Amino acid sequence: MSAPTPAVRPADPPARPATGAPFRTTLSAAVLVTGFVLLSLNTRVAFGQLGPLAPVAGFSTGAVTLLGLIPPLCMGLFAPLASVVRRRFGEERGLFGASVLLLAGAVVRMLGLPGLFAGTVLVSIATAVVNVLVPVFVRSRFQHRRVGVMMGVYALSMGAGSALVAALTVPVWQAGGHSWELAIGLAVIPAALAAAGIAPQLGHARGRRTGRPGTGRGTEAVPGTGAGGGKSAPVTVDAGGRGLVWSLTAFFGFQTLLFYTTLAWLPAILVDAGVAGTVAGGMQSLFILGVAAGGFLLPVLAAARTDQRPHLAAVVLVCALGYAGLLVAPGAAPALWALVLGAGLGGGQAVAGVLYVKRGRDHEHVAALSAFAQTGGYLLAATGPVAASVLHTATGAWTVPLLVLTGALALSLVASLRAGHDKR
């Protein structure tokens, strides 16, 4: 009797493609970009409110000077904290924690004048962490060809959010019975949205730490980042023998000095030129709108080139035109000078992030360059609002302070020469 023929096991059906995968990828990307935009919208909101309020809310010159000094001083002192946060928690958790701290600071700013000072310190510390982590976050979570666009989106959103809140600040002050505390409270809304928007990225941080895929597009943890949960030594920049880091620091420092000094005193300059206080406050919004436009355009253009020196020279020329207008005819075309200065200084602020990414060898080097340049740069910038106030008080006019700012602008061009290209 012949042996029975073994039963033939039917072949497994071919695996069906995971039809939901493209949808999940698209959704993750949308959540990533949305969270990034909400974070960016919030980053400078609190700093843009003082200018419109100062001419109408009765803040003293000393209060305005101190409130203009706090942000750059704190951002310089606490920029190194971002590197510690990144090594310990990673970019996603660091950005979320900074957003929560910024929200707390926005609430504290509503609690009278002492709260305004204390809350501004908290907001500035949180912003210091965001400033350093954003270039690393963009490099690690977005394709290399998208770096310029995303840094531009960061600057555009940052300027747009600040301009919108600045434009609403005085109307809210008027509608609220001349309560500057209520007007300052506007900043709570974008702060809450930023924290909520970046929160989904905590899943990406957990997935990377455990080896599971997280949400959104990303890269694996790089040894030494601290993102994988292990201990690692901090990555430092050999600043002593390298011109690059000093060039980056000086360029960023002078540009930031110009930005925060102009942000603090532009309305006062225009009021002294005969512009009405409410109109001068509106020019502050136009200035920030120009910051958004220049901050978007320049990184997109600069990131497409290997040599950014022509773009840095363009920043200086545009700013020089704005300061010349304020010197020669400040009351004749205040809207034009505000927009031109905003576009130039916004481009100068935003292109620094591109320089960190372009000159950095890897994520660690980008973080180190960013932290070092922002530490020194913001400390240099902190002298600007105070120096402008002292010079104005001593001379009784804004001519000397504006000439000094123009000189600092020329120094920023000289400082940029090394930072603007890869040395061969």
Side-chain angles (χ1 to χ4, degrees), residues 86-304:
R86 179 176 178 267
R87 290 195 303 272
R88 180 65 181 85
F89 301 106
E91 295 94 62
E92 292 83 5
R93 288 186 169 188
L95 289 173
F96 176 72
S99 297
V100 172
L101 179 61
L102 204 151
L103 174 58
V107 172
V108 172
R109 278 163 55 91
M110 301 173 62
L111 306 178
L113 198 58
L116 181 58
F117 288 115
T120 301
V121 170
L122 294 178
V123 167
S124 302
I125 293 171
T127 305
V129 175
V130 172
N131 286 340
V132 174
L133 293 187
V134 159
V136 190
F137 182 78
V138 168
R139 177 167 173 150
S140 66
R141 297 297 301 276
F142 295 96
Q143 296 175 357
H144 183 71
R145 60 190 176 91
R146 302 290 187 196
V147 165
V149 173
M150 295 315 298
M151 291 304 299
V153 166
Y154 173 60
L156 176 63
S157 302
M158 183 168 53
S162 187
L164 176 61
V165 173
L168 293 173
T169 295
V170 172
V172 170
W173 171 79
Q174 292 171 329
H178 294 180
S179 169
W180 66 260
E181 291 91 346
L182 183 62
I184 284 288
L186 273 174
V188 173
I189 298 173
L193 291 174
I198 205 66
Q201 301 313 312
L202 295 175
H204 179 91
R206 285 195 298 270
R208 181 169 56 186
R209 205 173 67 253
T210 59
R212 296 190 303 270
T215 59
R217 178 193 176 277
T219 58
E220 293 302 315
V222 179
T225 65
K231 297 191 185 236
S232 58
V235 178
T236 58
V237 175
D238 179 12
R242 297 175 61 185
L244 171 62
V245 69
W246 294 114
S247 179
L248 284 169
T249 301
F251 171 74
F252 178 76
F254 285 122
Q255 283 292 316
T256 306
L257 181 150
L258 294 165
F259 175 79
Y260 279 100
T261 304
T262 306
L263 186 69
W265 294 114
L266 178 62
I269 293 171
L270 295 176
V271 167
D272 279 9
V275 178
T278 54
V279 174
M283 295 306 100
Q284 181 85 335
S285 299
L286 285 180
F287 170 74
I288 299 173
L289 191 62
V291 169
F296 174 75
L297 182 61
L298 193 62
V300 173
L301 297 176

Side-chain angles (χ1 to χ4, degrees), residues 21-39:
F23 173 76
R24 287 194 299 271
T25 301
T26 303
L27 179 61
S28 296
V31 171
L32 171 63
V33 173
T34 301
F36 181 70
V37 169
L38 289 173
L39 174 74

